[in-house]
């Protein structure tokens, strides 16, 4: 069975209802590994050897995080600097090249309503524009960018809506896995 790796970058998962609900629903799937990066990178220390091994063992990669001040949490940027810089600039032949071709999904939560993420909205920019640096990173690393999973009003959702969003996330991950496996089999069998 193939594996989906979710790297969860939330600065304080104990205070998050939305990211906690999403990651809990995803972790129930047999093919999913959820890693709370804040817990494994205590004091900001990133074990690049472990992270490279994690990425290379995965078939699909998810970066899950809350949008904070129109960007990713600081640990995600530090992780990119430590892990992707190593893989693609220092050890391309033995590491980076092996990561190429894997699909990448961003699962992001935001506190505002979808309409706020528009040229005329309160935040002025679309979510696609705000996520463009990650899309550029995916392109540079040869990863297949997937349409992001976005959850708006994350801190305002009632339990029913939050449960529905978590179910939608799990369903998306399951569909993504099945589609990816079908595509692999079609390519393998011509």
């Amino acid at each position: 069975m193939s594996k989906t790796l979710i790297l969860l970058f939330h600065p304080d998962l104990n205070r998050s209802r939305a990211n906690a609900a999403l990651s809990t629903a995803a972790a129930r799937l047999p093919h999913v590994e959820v890693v709370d990066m804040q817990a494994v990178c205590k004091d900001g220390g990133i074990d690049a050897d472990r992270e490279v091994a994690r990425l290379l063992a995965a078939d699909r990669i998810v970066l899950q995080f809350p949008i904070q001040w129109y960007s990713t949490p600081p640990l995600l940027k530090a992780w990119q600097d430590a892990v992707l810089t190593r893989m693609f600039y220092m050890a391309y032949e033995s590491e980076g090249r092996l990561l190429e071709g894997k699909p990448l999904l961003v699962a992001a939560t935001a506190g505002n309503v979808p309409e706020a993420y528009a040229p005329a909205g309160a935040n002025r920019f679309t979510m696609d524009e705000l996520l463009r640096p990650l899309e550029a990173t995916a392109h540079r690393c040869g990863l297949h960018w997937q349409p992001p999973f976005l959850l708006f009003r994350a801190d305002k959702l009632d339990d029913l809506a939050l449960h529905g969003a978590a179910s939608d996330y799990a369903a998306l991950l399951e569909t993504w896995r099945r589609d990816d496996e079908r595509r692999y089999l079609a390519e393998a069998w011509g």
Side-chain angles (χ1 to χ4, degrees), residues 2 42 49-50 58 60 71 77 83-84 113 122 126 145 171 173:
S2 64
K42 300 207 183 305
D49 290 337
R50 178 185 61 210
R60 288 164 303 285
S71 188
K77 176 62 169 108
V83 178
L84 298 181
V113 297
T126 67
W145 181 256
L173 294 172

Side-chain angles (χ1 to χ4, degrees), residues 34-85:
V34 178
V35 180
D36 178 356
M37 296 303 292
Q38 197 70 36
V40 299
C41 297
K42 300 207 183 305
D43 302 321
I46 298 168
D47 181 342
D49 290 337
R50 178 185 61 210
E51 296 308 311
V52 167
R54 239 194 270 277
L55 289 172
L56 294 179
D59 296 295
R60 288 164 303 285
I61 302 161
V62 179
L63 301 177
Q64 182 183 324
F65 57 89
I67 297 288
Q68 299 178 318
W69 286 106
Y70 313 105
S71 188
T72 63
L75 182 57
L76 176 49
K77 176 62 169 108
W79 178 88
Q80 288 175 279
D81 290 345
V83 178
L84 298 181
T85 298

Side-chain angles (χ1 to χ4, degrees), residues 3 17 22 38 89 99 102 106-107 110 112 159 167 179:
K3 177 177 161 186
R17 290 178 61 239
L22 295 178
Q38 197 70 36
Y89 290 100
L99 190 64
K102 294 185 183 195
V106 165
N112 215 330
D159 289 344
S167 294
D179 290 350

Side-chain angles (χ1 to χ4, degrees), residues 153-182:
R153 298 181 58 245
D155 57 342
K156 298 166 190 71
L157 296 175
D158 62 29
D159 289 344
L160 184 62
L162 198 53
H163 177 74
S167 294
D168 290 347
Y169 184 47
L172 171 70
L173 294 172
E174 186 59 27
T175 299
W176 188 31
R177 179 192 63 81
R178 280 196 313 265
D179 290 350
D180 195 40
E181 288 178 352
R182 276 190 214 113

